[in-house]
C-alpha cells in the first residue's frame, strides 16, 4: 500500500483522466500499445473508451456497457526531463535546481506500484529495465549525465510511448524557436507538463551602481546598473516568461512557473491544484 | 618633456604595474558581492547595461597611476607661460621712402598706428622701447613698462627722411636689451638696407643670443613713389625673411594699413607668452590623487544590495 499526498493523488487523477479522454475533439479513441493487456477490472463505459474494450458479455449481464480496464489504463509512464545545467544552479536563497529536484520528486511520488518512472538524461532513458513503482522512481532520481535540451526532447519523442506523461523542468534559455515543432509533436503524442524556472530576481534585481555578474555557464560582466536598467530587466523577465509559457501552451503542454521556494507546490499548480507556500508576487 | 628623476619614475611605474596586475588578479576572483546569473547573454540583450562606465573608471584609474608616477619622476614639459620679464624694442624705419602713399595714408603713419596696436596688445609689464632709424639709428624711448609713456613717445618719431640703416638699428636695440629674459625685436621697414653695418651679421649674432627679430615689410607689390623724388620705394623681402629666420623670429608682409595693424597686434600677443620648461609634478600629483579618489568613490556603496 502506497500512501500518497493529496496533490499527488490529484496529479495522478489528472494524468489518468487525460489518458482516457480522446486527444482530438470528436476524434477516435487513442490507440496505444501498453506493456501488456493484463486485465484489472470492469467499469462503466465512458464516452471515448475504445469500443474494442467493451466486454459485451458483462454488459449483457449488468444491462449497462462495461469497459474492460487493462493494466495500461491504470498504470502510468512518468517521464521527466530535468535541466541540471549550471544555469539552474543560481537562486536567491538556494539553487533553482533544488526546487527542480523537489518538483521531480513530487512527480515520481505520483507513481503507483505498476507505474514506470523514467528520466531522460543524455541520449537515453533511465532506468532502462522494466522496473516499476518506487524502485524505478528511485533509480530515475539517481540518474545523472550531461544535459542537452535538444537531445532530451528528441529522445522523449522517439522513446516515449504514446500517452506517457512527460514533465520537463528547466529555465529554457536554450529553447530555440526551431524546437517548437518538437514541442508540438510531443504535445500531441504525450501528456506533457512544463515547469519554467522563475528568474530568482523577477521582482527586483538586487543590483545598483557598479556591479559584477558571473555567468553560471561562464563569463563575467562589469557594468553600471541604475533604475533604468532595473526597470528594463523586470520588463524583459516577465516578457520572456510570458512568451515561453505561451509557446508551451500553444504546443498543448500544461505549464507553470517553478518557484524557488517550493518545487512540489509549483508542480501542483501546473495541474490547477492548491499550491500553498509559493511566493507569487 | 624631460624627467628630473627618471629612476623614481621607473620604480613608480613598476609599482603601478604590479598594483594593476594585483588588481586584475583580484578582480578575476570570486567575491561575495558578485551576482551569479543564469544567462549573461539574456541579461545584456534585455537590459543593455552601461558597460562603458566601468571601462571609463578603469582608464581613469590607469591615468591616475601614470600621473602619480610621472609626478614622482619630476616631469617637466615645455609649455607657453605668461611672460613676466619681457623686453621688446620696436625699430621703425623713418627713411625717405616711408613717405610713400601706397599704404594709406603714408607708410610712416601706418607704421606708427601699427606700433600703437602692438603696444596695446603687449602683456602688461612687458618693457617696450622705441628706436627710429634712417641714415642712422636713434633711441626714441628707452625700455619702459609704462605703455602709456611709450605710446606717447611715438609722437617723437621723426618724419621720413634719409637712407636705411637696418643693421645700425638692430645693433642699437641689441645693446639696449637686458642680458637675460624674454627679449625680442620688432623691425618695421619698407626698404633695403643701404647704409651702416650689415644687418645679416647682426641678425645672426642676435640668433646666438636667443633674441628673435620679427620683421614686418611695408609696401604694395607695385611699390610707391617717394614724394619729392623720382625714385620708387622697393622692398627686399628676401633679406627681411633671412633676418627673421637666422634670429629665430618670423616675417610678415603688410600691403595695406589693416594688414600692418593686424600683423603688429599679433606680434604684441607673442610678447605675452613664451615657451619654457615647466615643472608639471604638482599638477600631475593633484590629477592622480583626484582621479584615484573619484574612482574609489564611484564604486562606493554600489554593487549587490542583498
Amino acid at each position: 500500500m502506497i500512501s500518497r499526498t493529496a496533490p499527488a493523488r490529484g496529479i495522478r487523477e489528472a494524468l489518468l483522466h487525460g489518458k482516457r479522454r480522446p486527444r482530438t475533439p470528436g476524434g477516435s479513441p487513442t490507440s496505444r500499445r501498453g506493456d501488456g493487456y493484463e486485465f484489472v477490472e470492469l467499469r462503466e463505459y465512458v464516452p471515448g473508451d475504445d469500443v474494442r474494450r467493451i466486454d459485451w458479455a458483462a454488459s449483457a449481464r449488468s444491462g449497462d456497457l462495461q469497459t474492460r480496464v487493462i493494466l495500461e489504463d491504470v498504470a502510468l509512464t512518468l517521464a521527466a526531463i530535468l535541466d541540471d545545467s549550471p544555469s539552474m544552479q543560481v537562486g536567491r536563497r538556494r539553487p533553482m535546481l533544488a526546487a527542480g529536484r523537489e518538483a521531480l520528486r513530487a512527480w515520481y511520488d505520483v507513481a503507483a506500484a505498476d507505474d514506470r518512472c523514467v528520466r531522460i538524461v543524455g541520449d537515453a532513458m533511465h532506468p532502462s529495465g522494466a522496473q516499476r513503482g518506487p524502485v524505478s522512481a528511485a533509480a530515475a532520481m539517481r540518474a545523472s549525465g550531461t544535459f542537452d535540451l535538444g537531445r532530451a526532447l528528441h529522445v522523449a519523442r522517439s522513446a516515449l510511448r504514446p500517452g506517457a506523461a512527460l514533465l520537463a523542468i528547466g529555465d529554457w534559455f536554450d529553447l530555440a524557436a526551431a524546437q517548437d515543432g518538437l514541442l508540438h509533436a510531443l504535445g500531441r503524442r504525450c501528456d506533457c507538463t512544463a515547469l519554467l524556472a522563475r528568474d530568482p530576481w523577477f521582482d527586483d534585481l538586487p543590483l545598483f551602481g557598479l556591479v559584477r555578474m558571473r555567468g553560471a555557464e561562464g563569463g563575467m560582466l562589469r557594468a553600471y546598473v541604475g533604475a533604468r536598467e532595473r526597470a528594463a530587466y523586470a520588463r524583459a523577465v516577465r516578457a520572456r516568461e510570458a512568451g515561453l509559457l505561451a509557446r508551451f501552451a500553444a504546443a498543448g503542454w500544461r505549464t507553470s512557473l517553478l518557484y524557488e521556494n517550493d518545487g512540489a507546490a509549483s508542480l501542483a499548480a501546473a495541474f490547477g491544484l492548491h499550491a500553498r507556500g509559493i511566493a507569487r508576487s | 618633456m624631460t624627467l628630473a628623476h627618471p629612476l623614481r619614475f621607473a620604480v613608480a611605474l613598476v609599482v603601478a604595474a604590479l598594483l594593476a596586475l594585483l588588481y586584475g588578479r583580484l578582480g578575476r576572483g570570486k567575491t561575495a558581492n558578485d551576482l551569479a546569473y543564469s544567462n549573461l547573454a539574456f541579461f545584456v540583450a534585455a537590459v543593455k547595461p552601461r558597460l562603458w562606465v566601468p571601462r571609463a573608471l578603469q582608464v581613469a584609474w590607469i591615468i591616475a597611476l601614470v600621473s602619480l608616477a610621472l609626478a614622482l619622476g619630476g616631469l617637466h614639459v615645455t609649455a607657453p607661460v605668461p611672460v613676466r620679464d619681457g623686453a621688446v624694442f620696436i625699430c621703425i624705419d623713418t627713411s625717405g621712402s616711408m613717405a610713400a602713399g601706397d599704404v594709406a595714408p603714408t607708410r610712416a603713419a601706418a607704421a606708427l598706428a601699427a606700433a600703437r596696436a602692438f603696444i596695446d596688445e603687449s602683456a602688461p609689464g612687458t618693457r617696450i622701447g622705441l628706436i627710429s632709424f634712417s641714415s642712422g639709428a636713434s633711441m626714441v624711448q628707452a625700455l619702459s613698462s609704462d605703455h602709456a609713456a611709450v605710446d606717447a613717445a611715438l609722437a617723437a618719431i621723426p618724419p621720413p627722411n634719409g637712407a636705411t640703416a637696418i643693421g645700425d638699428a638692430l645693433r642699437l636695440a641689441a645693446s639696449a636689451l637686458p642680458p637675460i629674459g624674454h627679449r625680442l625685436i620688432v623691425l618695421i621697414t619698407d626698404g633695403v638696407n643701404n647704409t651702416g653695418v650689415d644687418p645679416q651679421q647682426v641678425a645672426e649674432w642676435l640668433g646666438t643670443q636667443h633674441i628673435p627679430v620679427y620683421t614686418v615689410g611695408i609696401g604694395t607689390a607695385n611699390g610707391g613713389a617717394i614724394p619729392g623724388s623720382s625714385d620708387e620705394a622697393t622692398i627686399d623681402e628676401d633679406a627681411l625673411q633671412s633676418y627673421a629666420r637666422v634670429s629665430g623670429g618670423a616675417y610678415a608682409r603688410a600691403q595695406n594699413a589693416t594688414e600692418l595693424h593686424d600683423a603688429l597686434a599679433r606680434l604684441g600677443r607673442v610678447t605675452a607668452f613664451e615657451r619654457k620648461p615647466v615643472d608639471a609634478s604638482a599638477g600631475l600629483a593633484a590629477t592622480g590623487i583626484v582621479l584615484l579618489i573619484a574612482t574609489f568613490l564611484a564604486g562606493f556603496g554600489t554593487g549587490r544590495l542583498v
Side-chain angles (χ1 to χ4, degrees), chain A residues 199 206 208 212 214 216 224 229, chain B residues 27 29 34-35 37 50 303 305:
Chain A
D199 189 293
F208 185 78
R212 215 167 63 156
R214 291 187 174 279
Y224 180 86
E229 284 82 1
Chain B
D34 293 354
L35 182 76
Y37 193 76
R50 282 168 264 190
L305 301 178

Side-chain angles (χ1 to χ4, degrees), chain B residues 164-171 187 192-208 211 213 215 236-248:
Chain B
T164 307
I166 294 173
D168 288 357
L170 294 179
R171 194 171 63 176
L187 176 66
V192 182
N193 185 70
N194 52 21
T195 186
V197 298
D198 180 8
Q200 181 66 26
Q201 286 182 358
V202 181
E204 286 172 3
W205 181 81
L206 287 168
T208 64
I211 303 173
V213 178
T215 56
D236 186 356
E237 274 199 289
D238 290 343
L240 292 178
Q241 284 172 351
S242 177
Y243 306 154
R245 188 178 61 251
V246 298
S247 64

Side-chain angles (χ1 to χ4, degrees), chain A residues 87 90 92 171 173 199-201 205-226 228-230 232-233 236-237 240, chain B residues 23-24 26-31 33-40 42-44 46-51 53-54 57-58 295 298-299 301-306:
Chain A
S87 69
V90 303
R92 190 172 272 198
D171 52 27
F173 275 111
D199 189 293
W201 299 280
L205 191 65
L207 300 173
F208 185 78
L210 288 167
V211 300
R212 215 167 63 156
M213 298 174 76
R214 291 187 174 279
E217 298 187 342
M220 193 176 74
L221 176 76
R222 290 172 201 268
Y224 180 86
V225 173
R228 187 188 78 194
E229 284 82 1
R230 288 162 66 132
Y233 176 77
V237 165
R240 177 178 173 275
Chain B
Y23 178 80
L26 288 174
R28 282 192 291 276
K30 281 185 180 176
T31 71
N33 216 27
D34 293 354
L35 182 76
Y37 193 76
S38 317
N39 194 302
L40 286 185
F42 166 75
F43 182 83
V44 171
V47 176
K48 296 184 179 57
R50 282 168 264 190
L51 302 173
V53 175
L57 287 174
Q58 273 182 339
T295 51
T302 71
R304 188 174 177 177
L305 301 178
V306 288

Side-chain angles (χ1 to χ4, degrees), chain B residues 8-302:
Chain B
R8 277 194 213 166
F9 174 69
V11 171
L13 214 56
V14 169
V15 171
L18 288 173
L19 273 175
L21 208 65
L22 186 66
Y23 178 80
R25 178 161 289 189
L26 288 174
R28 282 192 291 276
K30 281 185 180 176
T31 71
N33 216 27
D34 293 354
L35 182 76
Y37 193 76
S38 317
N39 194 302
L40 286 185
F42 166 75
F43 182 83
V44 171
V47 176
K48 296 184 179 57
R50 282 168 264 190
L51 302 173
W52 63 268
V53 175
R55 285 179 193 150
L57 287 174
Q58 273 182 339
V59 170
W61 193 78
I62 290 168
I63 290 172
L65 288 184
V66 172
S67 298
L68 288 174
L70 286 170
L72 281 170
L75 180 72
H76 284 65
V77 292
T78 304
V81 293
V83 172
R84 294 205 177 123
D85 56 351
V88 184
F89 262 110
I90 306 172
C91 301
I92 299 176
D93 188 351
T94 56
S95 61
S97 60
M98 289 292 280
D102 58 336
V103 176
T106 63
R107 293 179 178 183
L112 289 180
R116 192 163 286 117
F118 175 88
I119 294 164
D120 290 345
E121 291 291 338
S122 295
T126 302
R127 288 171 296 160
I128 302 173
L130 293 175
I131 289 172
S132 68
F133 64 95
S134 53
S135 300
S138 61
M139 182 78 69
V140 177
Q141 167 70 52
L143 287 174
S144 169
S145 56
D146 182 354
H147 292 186
V150 178
D151 199 289
L154 284 171
I157 299 283
N161 185 30
T164 307
I166 294 173
D168 288 357
L170 294 179
R171 194 171 63 176
L172 178 59
S175 64
L177 281 168
I180 55 168
H182 182 59
R183 302 163 296 169
L184 61 93
I185 296 170
V186 176
L187 176 66
I188 306 170
T189 181
D190 71 338
V192 182
N193 185 70
N194 52 21
T195 186
V197 298
D198 180 8
Q200 181 66 26
Q201 286 182 358
V202 181
E204 286 172 3
W205 181 81
L206 287 168
T208 64
Q209 302 302 306
H210 305 293
I211 303 173
V213 178
Y214 290 88
T215 56
V216 182
I218 308 175
T220 59
N222 297 328
I226 302 172
S229 162
S230 59
D231 293 339
E232 282 282 322
T234 56
I235 184 167
D236 186 356
E237 274 199 289
D238 290 343
L240 292 178
Q241 284 172 351
S242 177
Y243 306 154
R245 188 178 61 251
V246 298
S247 64
Y251 169 73
R253 173 79 189 270
Q255 300 198 56
N256 55 52
T258 306
E259 284 181 9
L260 184 62
H261 179 279
D262 291 348
L264 268 296
R266 268 199 309 276
L267 281 177
R269 289 192 288 274
V270 166
T271 65
F273 292 93
E274 63 178 324
R275 294 185 70 80
K276 286 173 77 172
V278 178
D279 185 357
S281 304
L284 285 167
T287 303
I289 289 167
V290 167
L291 282 177
L292 275 184
I293 293 171
T295 51
F296 174 75
L297 289 179
F300 194 73
T302 71

Side-chain angles (χ1 to χ4, degrees), chain A residues 42-62:
Chain A
L42 282 173
R43 62 163 170 77
E44 281 193 11
Y45 172 82
V46 175
D49 279 354
D50 189 342
V51 292
R52 291 170 296 181
R53 300 270 186 83
I54 295 173
D55 189 322
W56 296 107
S59 299
R61 279 197 300 275
S62 67

Side-chain angles (χ1 to χ4, degrees), chain A residues 25-257:
Chain A
S28 59
T30 309
S31 66
R32 36 184 111 94
R33 293 179 60 199
D35 294 326
Y37 291 94
E38 185 180 341
F39 174 78
V40 176
E41 62 179 356
L42 282 173
R43 62 163 170 77
E44 281 193 11
Y45 172 82
V46 175
D49 279 354
D50 189 342
V51 292
R52 291 170 296 181
R53 300 270 186 83
I54 295 173
D55 189 322
W56 296 107
S59 299
R61 279 197 300 275
S62 67
D64 292 319
L65 287 175
Q66 296 290 311
T67 300
R68 289 169 61 83
V69 178
I70 59 173
L71 181 63
E72 184 195 7
D73 290 329
V74 292
L76 296 168
T77 296
L78 295 164
I81 296 170
L82 172 64
D83 177 359
D84 57 359
S85 62
S87 69
M88 287 286 284
Q89 299 283 1
V90 303
R92 190 172 272 198
R93 291 185 180 79
R94 61 174 184 163
M96 285 305 299
L97 185 58
R101 287 192 182 283
E102 276 179 7
L104 187 66
R105 193 169 294 112
W107 178 248
Y108 290 141
D109 279 349
V110 168
D114 292 326
D115 292 343
R116 186 175 177 222
C117 299
V118 293
R119 178 139 160 237
I120 297 166
V121 178
D123 286 329
M125 289 205 302
H126 302 274
S128 55
Q131 291 173 329
R132 288 183 176 274
V135 177
S136 68
M141 282 297 294
R142 284 196 303 272
S144 64
T146 307
F147 178 76
D148 182 324
L149 177 63
R151 269 168 41 192
L153 292 175
H154 275 290
V155 169
R157 187 180 61 175
S158 57
L160 288 178
R161 293 185 173 127
L166 172 66
L167 171 68
I169 306 168
D171 52 27
W172 310 115
F173 275 111
D174 40 0
L175 182 67
Q179 288 166 326
D180 278 7
L182 203 49
L183 295 183
H184 280 268
L186 277 166
R188 284 191 298 272
R189 186 180 175 86
C190 301
D191 187 335
C192 298
T193 305
L195 289 186
L196 166 61
R198 176 144 234 196
D199 189 293
W201 299 280
F202 69 94
D203 54 346
D204 191 15
L205 191 65
L207 300 173
F208 185 78
L210 288 167
V211 300
R212 215 167 63 156
M213 298 174 76
R214 291 187 174 279
E217 298 187 342
M220 193 176 74
L221 176 76
R222 290 172 201 268
Y224 180 86
V225 173
R228 187 188 78 194
E229 284 82 1
R230 288 162 66 132
Y233 176 77
R235 283 195 303 272
V237 165
R238 287 179 189 276
R240 177 178 173 275
E241 283 178 358
L244 277 168
L245 293 178
R247 283 169 67 190
F248 277 109
W253 290 52
R254 208 179 272 113
T255 60
S256 177
L257 291 168

